[in-house]
Amino acid sequence: MIKEQIPGGLLIAIEGIDGAGKTTLAQSLARVLEAAGARVVLGKEPTNGPWGTRLRQTAATGRLSPEQEVEFLLHDRRQHVEEVIQPALARGDVVILDRYFPSMVAYQGAAGLPLDEMLHANDFAPRPNLLLLLDLAPEQGLERIRARGDKPNHFETAQNLERCRVIFNQLELPGKVVIDASQGEAEVLRDVHAATVAALARRIAEDGGMNAENTRKLERLSAN
């Protein structure tokens, strides 16, 4: 199958509190878009790089201060942007991220750091064409975490997740679409696919307008 290129690529970030279903959705959306002919790069933050690995290792103990967490996250994100995200977008790929800089703003913001300063610290990070916010009540997120056999870490308390949820919903960023994550997986994917098709249409229209070739490309990539 010939893979479709999108001039400038398409950057999709999936956000939300723990237990909202981000990883499951990222994988499902990647499969749908690949089947439709897109070239997809699936990423996750924190990454498996040296900074991301060190940060995840501390999640169960809470030994880092919010300022140290931000330092690690920014180092990790810069490497991710330079080595993965920007090259993929330059190739015309669809990049799907399971967490991105809004998570840092929400989680470290819930710990008391200024939101505007953290947004400014992430100016180097390309803004998503589509920011999918999976909105879910903290109690339901914690139920899902326990149901999959995981033990909640120090980030995953009802009080902290509620603070994060409030910040996620308050963030005003281009391309933001709020999805009801209390739905079943099929319903969430349906809503996300519709939002992705709309984002694709906007992105492709930027490439010389919706001529016959771009219309055909959108029809292929919108197949479900």
Side-chain angles (χ1 to χ4, degrees), residues 65-176:
S65 69
E67 292 81 5
Q68 288 175 311
E69 290 168 352
V70 165
E71 179 184 357
F72 278 41
L73 284 165
L74 290 174
H75 282 303
D76 184 54
R77 184 164 302 116
R78 284 186 184 278
Q79 185 175 11
H80 196 200
V81 167
E82 293 172 2
E83 297 180 2
V84 178
I85 297 173
Q86 286 180 332
L89 294 176
R91 292 193 301 266
D93 296 350
V94 176
V95 179
I96 301 175
L97 300 180
D98 177 357
R99 291 202 186 280
Y100 196 31
F101 69 84
S103 276
M104 188 189 90
V105 177
Y107 279 80
Q108 277 62 51
L113 298 187
L115 306 187
D116 56 347
E117 290 183 12
M118 286 186 290
L119 282 169
H120 180 66
N122 281 280
D123 282 346
F124 68 90
R127 269 29 186 178
N129 304 105
L130 178 61
L131 174 59
L132 296 164
L133 174 57
L134 302 187
D135 188 44
L136 187 71
E139 293 77 11
Q140 191 170 355
L142 289 169
E143 288 176 5
R144 292 180 179 180
I145 291 170
R146 296 187 181 98
R148 69 192 186 207
D150 292 338
K151 181 180 179 181
N153 60 40
H154 79 283
F155 293 109
E156 299 166 340
T157 67
Q159 295 81 5
N160 190 59
L161 293 181
E162 182 57 34
R163 289 193 293 268
C164 294
R165 184 189 187 191
V166 169
I167 295 173
F168 273 129
N169 280 287
Q170 287 177 342
L171 285 177
E172 296 183 3
L173 293 169
K176 178 180 172 182

Side-chain angles (χ1 to χ4, degrees), residues 46-56 76 79:
T47 73
N48 290 324
W51 292 99
T53 299
R54 290 170 65 185
L55 184 62
R56 279 197 307 276
D76 184 54
Q79 185 175 11

